[in-house]
Amino acid sequence: MKYLDYLEKKENITTNEDEQVEVFQLSNGIDEDAFDEWSEAFRQNYCSDSILELLVKGTGQTKEEYLLSKKFPDKTEGFGPGTRSGDFAELLIADYLEFCLGYTVHRERYKNKFNRSSSTQGTDVIGFKILGVKDSTDDELVTFEVKAQASGTKPDHRLQDAIDDSLKDPIRKGETLSALKQLYIEKNNFSKALQVERFQNKPDRPYLEKYGSAAVHDTKTFSEATIKEVSLKGSKRWLIVMHRDNLMELVHELYKRAAHVD
């Protein structure tokens, strides 16, 4: 994903509890080719192009109208804008884990919404690293709870919110894995079902496990002082913060481009 070349690593922030927070800034100058590639890949999270024509058939809508009214969170109404920024933040972290760090990230949750402007339940981002055919104790499962603040001027404690919600992930992890496995079995995708199964029984099939918390901010709501105040409450978490100028404008532009299908 070329747009990730514009994700610049900044100096870590050390919290008052002496924990490290990785900080990234997404540049404003993403070129057109990278933006087009990003928007096309972004659309696939909600609806595969291979079935889009069949889904649109019978609706009397164009593909663009269908995506904007049936699949993507609403731009202005109700919880739509908040869901847009939340989904965007989760998918930004998912892309970073997959394309920069080599995890296999599962994204099925966005395709199966009954209410397009509502957030889905379960673990926000879940990814795997499986080293070979046989189990390895170095196989790895990572889960992330992600929060966004894409507008406003006053910083909220979104990283702390992500940490607090992440403390529920050991329970939600099992539920999410079970739901993913069932989905893949129903789709006859048994190879992915087996990937999930690899991580369903840690006592008998040991693996590495990481829990993460992330916040994605507009630069106006990014505050080093606020981030320093976060508390892990005795837990251990991988902490990431990303920010960009005019973030909500970027979010809306990405959805607009993603709805345009050649």
Side-chain angles (χ1 to χ4, degrees):
M1 293 294 290
K2 297 174 185 176
Y3 89 91
L4 290 168
D5 293 341
Y6 297 86
L7 190 64
E8 182 181 355
K9 181 72 171 68
K10 299 294 186 180
E11 185 177 350
N12 284 5
I13 294 174
T14 303
T15 73
N16 296 336
E17 293 182 347
D18 205 31
E19 300 289 344
Q20 294 297 303
V21 181
E22 297 180 32
V23 179
F24 298 84
Q25 182 172 9
L26 186 61
S27 168
N28 282 34
I30 300 174
D31 68 44
E32 288 297 308
D33 286 344
F35 216 151
D36 287 344
E37 179 195 47
W38 186 11
S39 63
E40 182 177 350
F42 193 80
R43 180 172 65 250
Q44 309 310 310
N45 292 293
Y46 291 91
C47 179
S48 299
D49 283 352
S50 61
I51 64 169
L52 180 55
E53 189 164 342
L54 288 174
L55 290 174
V56 173
K57 185 179 179 181
T59 65
Q61 294 180 304
T62 65
K63 292 177 181 178
E64 181 175 0
E65 290 168 341
Y66 176 83
L67 289 166
L68 290 173
S69 68
K70 301 295 192 300
K71 299 302 291 184
F72 296 162
D74 196 272
K75 182 178 179 179
T76 58
E77 297 296 325
F79 295 108
T83 302
R84 276 192 171 202
S85 63
D87 285 3
F88 169 87
E90 292 170 10
L91 289 165
L92 179 62
I93 296 298
D95 284 351
Y96 173 67
L97 292 175
E98 181 168 351
F99 299 112
C100 296
L101 302 182
Y103 288 91
T104 298
V105 179
H106 294 263
R107 304 162 181 261
E108 299 301 316
R109 57 186 298 173
Y110 307 97
K111 294 179 180 176
N112 298 291
K113 291 185 179 185
F114 285 95
N115 183 338
R116 65 192 175 96
S117 291
S118 293
S119 299
T120 55
Q121 301 299 307
T123 302
D124 288 343
V125 179
I126 188 163
F128 308 145
K129 281 186 180 178
I130 299 176
L131 301 185
V133 176
K134 293 184 178 180
D135 288 356
S136 168
T137 55
D138 289 327
D139 290 343
E140 189 176 331
L141 170 71
V142 62
T143 61
F144 260 88
E145 182 68 25
V146 185
K147 300 296 183 185
Q149 189 182 6
S151 58
T153 57
K154 182 180 179 181
D156 288 336
H157 293 271
R158 299 307 280 156
L159 183 59
Q160 186 65 60
D161 293 340
I163 292 168
D164 294 344
D165 277 2
S166 179
L167 297 177
K168 307 169 189 174
D169 272 351
I171 297 173
R172 292 190 298 205
K173 176 196 72 175
E175 297 170 346
T176 301
L177 289 172
S178 179
L180 269 175
K181 184 179 178 182
Q182 179 176 339
L183 179 64
Y184 288 134
I185 289 173
E186 289 174 344
K187 289 184 173 183
N188 294 318
N189 193 334
F190 298 108
S191 62
K192 283 195 173 182
L194 286 173
Q195 284 183 348
V196 176
E197 185 177 305
R198 164 66 185 94
F199 297 96
Q200 286 188 291
N201 186 359
K202 188 176 180 180
D204 290 343
R205 303 176 69 184
Y207 56 85
L208 299 177
E209 193 167 23
K210 291 181 181 178
Y211 291 101
S213 303
V216 179
H217 284 270
D218 183 275
T219 299
K220 290 180 180 178
T221 68
F222 169 76
S223 165
E224 184 173 340
T226 301
I227 293 167
K228 285 184 175 181
E229 294 173 354
V230 301
S231 174
L232 293 181
K233 302 177 181 179
S235 65
K236 189 67 178 176
R237 289 292 182 273
W238 180 2
L239 302 176
I240 295 176
V241 173
M242 296 182 179
H243 67 95
R244 184 193 188 271
D245 295 343
N246 304 312
L247 181 58
M248 202 63 200
E249 290 182 16
L250 171 68
V251 172
H252 289 321
E253 178 64 19
L254 186 59
Y255 277 102
K256 179 182 176 181
R257 290 183 181 228
H260 181 73
V261 184
D262 293 330

